[in-house]
Amino acid sequence: MTSTSQDWAFFGRRLVQTGNLNHNDTLFGGTMLAWIDEEIYIYAKCQLGNQDDMTMVTARFGEINFRAPAFKGNIIEFGMKTKNLGRTSITVDVLVRNKSTHCVICEVHDVTFVCVDPETMKPIPHGCLPED
């Protein structure tokens, strides 16, 4: 991801708190990835029409690059943009930055969510047509 942060749409925000810290007193990477997963799920659902009966699962996390630490008291925000819209899937790139300094904390390439049948867990079309 070589684009600047103004190319991104920033949505969710989180406050880094004591319970989110690792042994170095910085945001634990696993917590960051869980937050990213949740934020992308919300973004993807909204991009696909926010259908209450749509079941989506995380299918893939691509390359993950931690760039800078986040500390207790930091507010971080999640920038997302749709990279690809398939028949059953949506792929998103993510940029996480410090809200006040705009310092990039983490980048994740190619996070893919797939729409599935809730009973069989087999991929099903999401019903949104890719843009031409």
Side-chain angles (χ1 to χ4, degrees):
M1 286 184 258
T2 58
S3 57
T4 61
S5 60
Q6 63 257 27
D7 298 329
W8 298 81
F10 286 86
F11 294 98
R13 294 183 179 129
R14 299 283 175 122
L15 172 65
V16 179
Q17 300 181 66
T18 302
N20 309 129
L21 304 179
N22 62 22
H23 63 286
N24 294 317
D25 286 332
T26 59
L27 178 61
F28 178 58
T31 300
M32 169 74 77
L33 294 176
W35 288 351
I36 289 170
D37 194 41
E38 181 180 358
E39 292 295 332
I40 296 174
Y41 175 83
I42 294 167
Y43 172 82
K45 283 277 281 202
C46 291
Q47 296 302 302
L48 298 175
N50 196 23
Q51 304 166 42
D52 286 337
D53 61 345
M54 179 187 290
T55 301
M56 292 189 337
V57 296
T58 309
R60 178 178 193 273
F61 260 69
E63 182 179 347
I64 301 166
N65 297 299
F66 292 98
R67 302 283 184 209
F71 301 96
K72 179 179 164 186
N74 288 166
I75 296 173
I76 61 172
E77 58 185 359
F78 302 84
M80 287 162 272
K81 58 182 168 181
T82 302
K83 188 168 183 180
N84 186 50
L85 185 60
R87 190 175 66 82
T88 63
S89 65
I90 183 170
T91 301
V92 178
D93 283 344
V94 182
L95 180 76
V96 182
R97 71 182 185 184
N98 181 300
K99 171 74 174 108
S100 60
T101 67
H102 290 189
C103 176
V104 174
I105 297 167
C106 182
E107 299 173 293
V108 183
H109 301 264
D110 301 322
V111 181
T112 302
F113 274 80
V114 176
C115 294
V116 297
D117 179 284
E119 293 182 20
T120 66
M121 299 305 284
K122 301 276 186 198
I124 59 172
H126 47 61
C128 294
L129 298 174
E131 294 180 12
D132 290 328

